[in-house]
Amino acid sequence: MTGAAALQRWWPWVPLLVLVLLPVGIRETFYLDLLMTTFMYAAITLGWDIMGGYAGYVSLGTVGFYGLGSYAGALLLLRFNIPVFVSAPFIGVLCSLVGAGLGWIALRTRAAAFVIVTLTFTSIVQLLALNLKGLTNGSSGLYMPLLTLPNNLILLPFYYYMLALLVFAYFVSRAIRGSKFGLGLIAIREEEEKAEGLGVDTSLYKILAFAISVFFACVAGALRAQYLNYVDPDIAFDLFITLSPIVMALVGGRGTLIGPLLGAFLVQPLSQYLVFLLPSSVAGQLHLVALGVVLLLVVLFMPDGIVNAYRSARAGGSGWRGRRQTAPPAEAAP
Amino acid sequence: MSSGNVLEMRQLFAGYGSGGDILRGVDLQIEEGDFMCLIGPNGAGKSTLLRTISGLVKPRQGSIQFRGQEIGGLRPDRVFRLGLAHVPQGRSTFPDMSVWENVLMGAYTLHDRRIRQERLEQACAMFPIVERQRNKVAGLLSGGEQKQVEMARATMTGARMILLDEPTLGLEPRASRTVVEKMQELNASGVTILLVEQNARTGLAASRTGCVMELGRIKLQGHGPTLLQDPEVKRLYLGQGGTMTAPRPPTGQVVA
């Protein structure tokens, strides 16, 4: 009994321990790099899901914040000599403030407008990066000095930093899910007007959720810039970074704690493996096609993701989609 | 007027958008502890009246006083916090949340844990379904069960008055009888109820007082079961003035 309870309580730490110890055994850069990017996407996806899953507001602005983080990290290093490892959390907080500002503009309206505003935000930041040449060096990008570490160890600080970011994202998401704040966000997703009627401060909650949700993309962007020792507008604002977390959350299960994690750990290795496996002449394009196929299959057969499909199979229900269909139309005005 | 009225409306006008008035001068008083049933034909403005009281529709003119305080035009959450809950037409549970979470949503603005616990226990006592199905996803419950969850949620703020918009619509007879009984239990525990009902016979038989609404105004008001005997009500809402089976007397009031 106590054994089972202990298992219940402690099992999440087992994979974490494995991941912490893994670099001791594995020295191959390919796998460590793969794991590191997986951590990065998992953290970004967990963050995205706070807004996109819990509150139900799909953001297409992820890479805008990621790129903002990249440039902030690079500029703080180049201009003020602040190492990215030190500045990253602060950049995250700063971006959260930008997110709150953007949210304040975009979230006073309902669903669709928000999507457009976040996408526009990405384009605006990218245009700024391209055109503020004095600051960003335009399309030539910024080179950042290498870390002074032996070649075979240079990956490790990034590996652990991203892992820490992922663990932090997990606990933030978990704390939100178990809180009144989280319940309020889910109420917003299900029916905003009703949530408001029950006393949920919907505007404030949405802005807060969005601010928290972009933190992780920003920190990841800053770290990644240092990892590549280079930023330019194409790398920092690759739309793939907006789309991947959405695919991952959909595959794993939106609005759940485990779903985004599961999605990231399935999709990212799969997509990297395809790049590795396929002849290099087509790899760059074909793995994107494969990702599209995965997304299509999920949308067709498991529209609520693995976690939700598993849950409703266990509950004997028909899953989210089934329930939604049985929901009556909105009440009509008399 | 007198302090016995929990809700008072005077010359209330309201409508949607730029459309015409739906409510055209409603005057209505409801006494503390009353169970009033509002009937009337489609388009009379019954639902609009409830939506105006609970703040979903802004009044264009006139006043609404809840326990002596003007609430006309207040935001819905403000009205809710004052102790006036609205159970709208159709299903209004959060379908993806558990039953328990749904009921907790009713206590969203309640910060005192002790009071929340107390209310939860009361709600569970009156609506056993809350405890029995607590972890079930609300969207999987039957219509009647969902109505009970909604009513339980409405009691969580310690509402002094609950507005119910056709709670028995689309329910099978047994489920609708349960819902009616639950309303009477709630009323017996001291909650004032304003019920809108299409089925005039059931509604008037269950309630204490009744009123008839037509074209945005209150046309008749009186003792519920007596209204059932009114020739005009009979003719208009009960189908024919001929012989009809005697209405079932109000079921015995069950004390919670």
Side-chain angles (χ1 to χ4, degrees):
Chain A
M1 197 60 194
T2 47
L7 189 72
Q8 190 89 47
R9 186 162 158 61
W10 295 110
W11 76 262
W13 298 100
V14 176
L16 179 60
L17 197 69
V18 170
L19 289 176
V20 167
L21 294 178
L22 218 53
V24 179
I26 297 181
R27 277 297 153 81
E28 223 168 319
T29 323
F30 175 78
Y31 290 108
L32 290 183
D33 175 87
L34 172 61
L35 277 168
M36 190 200 70
T37 28
T38 307
F39 298 159
M40 178 183 91
Y41 276 117
I44 296 178
T45 309
L46 276 164
W48 180 88
D49 201 52
I50 292 171
M51 194 64 195
Y54 292 164
Y57 273 79
V58 172
S59 161
L60 292 181
T62 310
V63 78
F65 288 97
Y66 173 94
L68 201 61
S70 292
Y71 271 97
L75 287 172
L76 283 175
L77 177 68
L78 295 173
R79 301 269 163 133
F80 302 100
N81 216 11
I82 306 173
V84 168
F85 288 130
V86 176
S87 65
F90 298 100
I91 292 171
V93 173
L94 214 69
C95 285
S96 283
L97 291 178
V98 175
L102 184 66
W104 185 71
I105 297 168
L107 285 166
R108 285 183 298 176
T109 54
R110 297 271 159 96
F114 175 73
V115 180
I116 306 298
V117 173
T118 52
L119 190 60
T120 313
F121 169 77
T122 301
S123 314
I124 292 173
V125 187
Q126 186 173 17
L127 278 177
L128 286 178
L130 207 57
N131 292 313
L132 290 178
K133 292 206 171 86
L135 193 66
T136 64
N137 208 15
S139 55
S140 321
L142 295 167
Y143 288 90
M144 299 160 75
L146 287 167
L147 293 184
T148 45
L149 273 176
N151 239 344
N152 57 345
L153 290 181
I154 208 151
L155 217 153
L156 286 186
F158 296 99
Y159 180 93
Y160 285 113
Y161 214 121
M162 288 291 189
L163 183 58
L165 185 67
L166 165 61
V167 172
F168 181 56
Y170 174 81
F171 281 107
V172 167
S173 178
R174 197 173 81 159
I176 289 177
R177 179 62 187 92
S179 70
K180 218 169 140 175
F181 176 54
L183 195 61
L185 292 181
I186 292 171
I188 289 174
R189 174 186 78 206
E190 295 209 4
E191 207 182 317
E192 197 159 337
E193 190 178 279
K194 205 190 310 163
E196 209 167 349
L198 290 172
V200 179
D201 191 338
T202 52
S203 303
L204 178 71
Y205 275 29
K206 286 189 288 182
I207 291 171
L208 259 180
F210 189 52
I212 296 170
S213 119
V214 301
F215 173 88
F216 303 98
C218 276
V219 176
L223 293 174
R224 186 96 171 139
Q226 175 66 76
Y227 178 64
L228 301 173
N229 304 308
Y230 176 67
V231 261
D232 74 19
D234 280 341
I235 292 181
F237 297 99
D238 186 350
L239 207 57
F240 195 66
I241 290 163
T242 287
L243 299 179
S244 293
I246 299 177
V247 174
M248 289 164 184
L250 287 178
V251 169
R254 250 173 98 183
T256 62
L257 185 56
I258 302 297
L261 272 179
L262 195 65
F265 276 86
L266 282 176
V267 173
Q268 181 60 20
L270 178 74
S271 117
Q272 285 305 304
Y273 186 67
L274 282 175
V275 173
F276 182 71
L277 200 70
L278 296 167
S280 59
S281 56
V282 291
Q285 288 84 44
L286 261 188
H287 86 283
L288 291 180
V289 174
L291 203 61
V293 171
V294 170
L295 182 61
L296 268 180
L297 290 177
V298 166
V299 167
L300 280 176
F301 298 109
M302 243 193 298
D304 303 316
I306 295 169
V307 173
N308 289 314
Y310 169 73
R311 276 190 195 153
S312 56
R314 244 179 36 157
S318 45
W320 273 19
R321 191 172 57 160
R323 257 180 265 136
R324 289 250 165 79
Q325 278 170 347
T326 59
E331 62 181 300
Chain B
M1 217 181 295
S2 72
S3 58
N5 289 337
V6 63
L7 192 69
E8 276 188 49
M9 281 156 275
R10 267 168 212 296
Q11 282 305 303
L12 191 61
F13 287 79
Y16 297 92
S18 56
D21 290 333
I22 307 277
L23 304 182
R24 299 167 187 170
V26 172
D27 282 298
L28 186 63
Q29 286 88 39
I30 301 169
E31 277 179 28
E32 178 97 57
D34 196 0
F35 183 161
M36 180 182 278
C37 174
L38 184 62
I39 61 170
N42 284 330
K46 305 183 299 286
S47 295
T48 307
L49 181 60
L50 295 199
R51 291 169 63 86
T52 310
I53 297 171
S54 65
L56 292 169
V57 175
K58 293 224 177 310
R60 290 175 177 167
Q61 229 186 83
S63 82
I64 312 170
Q65 296 207 328
F66 177 63
R67 309 174 93 195
Q69 189 183 346
E70 178 63 38
I71 57 164
L74 280 188
R75 287 207 328 250
D77 57 309
R78 298 265 154 218
V79 177
F80 186 67
R81 271 178 231 211
L82 289 172
L84 207 171
H86 182 189
V87 179
Q89 211 175 74
R91 286 175 199 172
S92 74
T93 51
F94 293 100
D96 285 340
M97 283 188 192
S98 71
V99 166
W100 193 252
E101 285 173 327
N102 261 284
V103 176
L104 272 181
M105 280 306 297
Y108 208 83
T109 53
L110 216 60
H111 296 297
D112 190 323
R113 272 167 198 278
R114 203 172 42 79
I115 297 180
R116 191 163 65 203
Q117 194 54 38
E118 236 168 63
R119 298 247 173 90
L120 270 173
E121 279 163 20
Q122 282 167 8
C124 289
M126 193 173 291
F127 302 96
I129 182 132
V130 172
E131 191 99 70
R132 210 165 50 233
Q133 306 272 34
R134 78 182 266 158
N135 292 322
K136 197 157 175 187
V137 172
L140 292 176
L141 299 182
S142 74
E145 290 172 323
Q146 289 194 40
K147 265 297 155 206
Q148 292 190 54
V149 172
E150 287 169 45
M151 287 162 79
R153 186 176 68 201
T155 64
M156 284 299 292
T157 39
R160 298 303 307 150
M161 176 163 187
I162 298 185
L163 315 171
L164 291 121
D165 198 347
E166 301 201 30
T168 63
L169 188 74
L171 298 187
E172 46 106 6
R174 193 179 312 157
S176 52
R177 215 148 41 231
T178 312
V179 168
V180 170
E181 276 166 24
K182 290 295 169 193
M183 285 190 282
Q184 290 178 325
E185 274 182 51
L186 268 175
N187 181 237
S189 74
V191 178
T192 311
I193 288 185
L194 177 57
L195 165 73
V196 163
E197 193 46 82
Q198 273 288 333
N199 185 340
R201 197 166 300 166
T202 325
L204 289 177
S207 60
R208 268 186 226 184
T209 58
C211 66
V212 180
M213 200 169 173
E214 217 174 81
L215 293 172
R217 287 195 194 86
I218 304 296
K219 217 180 159 211
L220 274 173
Q221 194 177 348
H223 181 238
T226 316
L227 269 184
L228 266 177
Q229 304 298 333
D230 184 282
E232 201 178 350
V233 173
K234 265 190 194 169
R235 190 176 58 77
L236 287 172
Y237 307 111
L238 302 174
Q240 298 313 308
T243 49
M244 58 172 246
T245 48
R248 261 175 3 106
T251 29
Q253 306 246 314
V254 191
V255 180

